[in-house]
Amino acid sequence: MTNQDITANETEQQQPTLADFGLRVDETMTTPSRPGKKPRPVWIVRGNIFGLEEFFRDINGRKFRGAWSFFENPSETILKHVQTNGRQSFAEQVESETQRKLEKAERYETYAANAEARAESRYQAANEIGSAIPFGQPILVGHHSERRHRRDIERISQNMRKSVEESEKAEYLKDRAHDLSNAEARLSNRRYVGNRVKDAQKEVNKLSKWMEPTNPRLVHAQEKLTYWNSRLAEVEAAQKDKGHAVASPETIKVGDLIDSLGSWLPVVRVNKKTVTVSHWLGVPTLHNKIEYTRIKKFQSKA
């Protein structure tokens, strides 16, 4: 073997692979459930996919059971991306997801407007057909107008049915658009962020029991917990800057009143993450715990 061959082999060995980034691409075949549909090749990406989800969406990947599937081999594209751009942080992932939801909300608003226009068009068509029929005019059986009359009634029925369907579709799309458009506002909602902290803490606690500290899944869960804790601190700081009291073990004392669903309930115990109140459901002896992030208003016993 010449020196040139040795140098070439060393260069090949030094080239990074997907395995170096904790990724693996397996080629397999689809298993169609529809009769007559032929299987086709599909490539499944597994491993440390955290921080790459947005990129996978951009290259037409589909998420299924914790892995990503592609109908073309994405190995070279993924390798080039991780070498050049790396991975998104969890904060960047949240930002990307929020932006994606806002863009989707805009599309849904357009779809809803189109559905409303179709509903109105169908309604007008039914009215136009009906206006040609005298009010209360029965079908004249045996008359030359019988066939046309029955056809017009059927057309009215079809148009009205389609109008209702399109109206219901428009309402559904508007509801979805409204929900998605709140994605950014939720990041400033203390209760929402507090729930994310709780979920992330549970995930970290669960994974820590059987995973090594360097496991990508656990590392990602810890990054998620750090982000939501930081976000919660920012939300609470913003509320304080506006002059709003933030419920916490330092600001709530035994005897204070908590607003819960429109009722003011007395605090009987102050805990680390919750307060215990009495008079739950109007029963003086019935107690309940309420998390601080769920408390919007409270009053001092003084």
Side-chain angles (χ1 to χ4, degrees), residues 33-254:
S33 57
R34 192 166 60 191
K37 190 174 181 179
K38 296 181 179 180
R40 58 182 298 188
V42 62
W43 286 263
I44 308 297
V45 180
R46 296 185 173 89
N48 186 8
I49 61 175
F50 305 111
L52 297 173
E53 290 90 342
E54 195 66 27
F55 171 68
F56 289 164
R57 289 189 182 93
D58 291 341
I59 59 174
N60 299 320
R62 297 183 179 181
K63 194 172 185 180
F64 180 70
R65 295 181 179 177
W68 286 81
S69 63
F70 300 84
F71 288 123
E72 294 182 359
N73 190 345
S75 300
E76 291 185 9
T77 305
I78 295 174
L79 181 57
K80 182 179 179 181
H81 176 81
V82 293
Q83 285 181 280
T84 306
N85 305 299
R87 301 170 183 271
Q88 284 187 322
S89 66
F90 184 73
E92 291 172 330
Q93 293 173 49
V94 173
E95 184 179 351
S96 295
E97 182 181 7
T98 301
Q99 185 59 36
R100 189 171 65 252
K101 287 181 177 180
L102 294 176
E103 292 172 354
K104 194 172 185 179
E106 291 183 1
R107 294 198 299 272
Y108 277 14
E109 288 172 355
T110 300
Y111 298 157
N114 292 339
E116 287 181 330
R118 290 194 297 270
E120 179 63 21
S121 176
R122 288 283 191 169
Y123 178 76
Q124 293 298 335
N127 276 345
E128 185 176 344
I129 297 170
S131 64
I133 302 175
F135 182 74
Q137 174 68 56
I139 297 176
L140 303 177
V141 179
H143 192 266
H144 66 82
S145 64
E146 177 185 357
R147 182 179 298 179
R148 185 182 67 252
H149 196 160
R150 292 186 184 278
R151 185 175 64 249
D152 287 345
I153 290 175
E154 178 61 24
R155 290 171 61 198
I156 292 172
S157 176
Q158 288 178 354
N159 279 299
M160 291 301 294
R161 184 166 56 251
K162 283 294 184 180
S163 178
V164 171
E165 290 176 0
E166 293 292 349
S167 294
E168 291 176 346
K169 184 186 294 184
E171 288 301 315
Y172 167 77
L173 290 169
K174 284 192 289 187
D175 288 343
R176 290 286 291 125
H178 180 266
D179 184 59
L180 290 166
S181 64
N182 288 331
E184 192 169 21
R186 289 193 187 99
L187 296 179
S188 298
N189 184 295
R190 188 175 182 231
R191 178 174 176 177
Y192 174 84
V193 176
N195 287 338
R196 303 291 76 74
V197 170
K198 184 170 64 174
D199 293 343
Q201 186 66 67
K202 286 181 179 179
E203 185 178 4
V204 169
N205 294 342
K206 179 181 178 181
L207 298 178
S208 297
K209 293 179 180 179
W210 60 280
M211 283 185 176
E212 294 294 328
T214 55
N215 187 289
R217 188 175 171 188
L218 178 55
V219 171
H220 182 260
Q222 290 171 332
E223 183 184 0
K224 189 187 301 184
L225 177 60
T226 300
Y227 169 81
W228 287 120
N229 272 323
S230 175
R231 186 67 191 174
L232 181 60
E234 291 176 3
V235 171
E236 292 177 345
Q239 290 183 349
K240 292 177 182 177
D241 289 342
K242 294 178 180 179
H244 301 315
V246 176
S248 70
E250 290 74 34
T251 57
I252 294 181
K253 308 299 179 186
V254 173

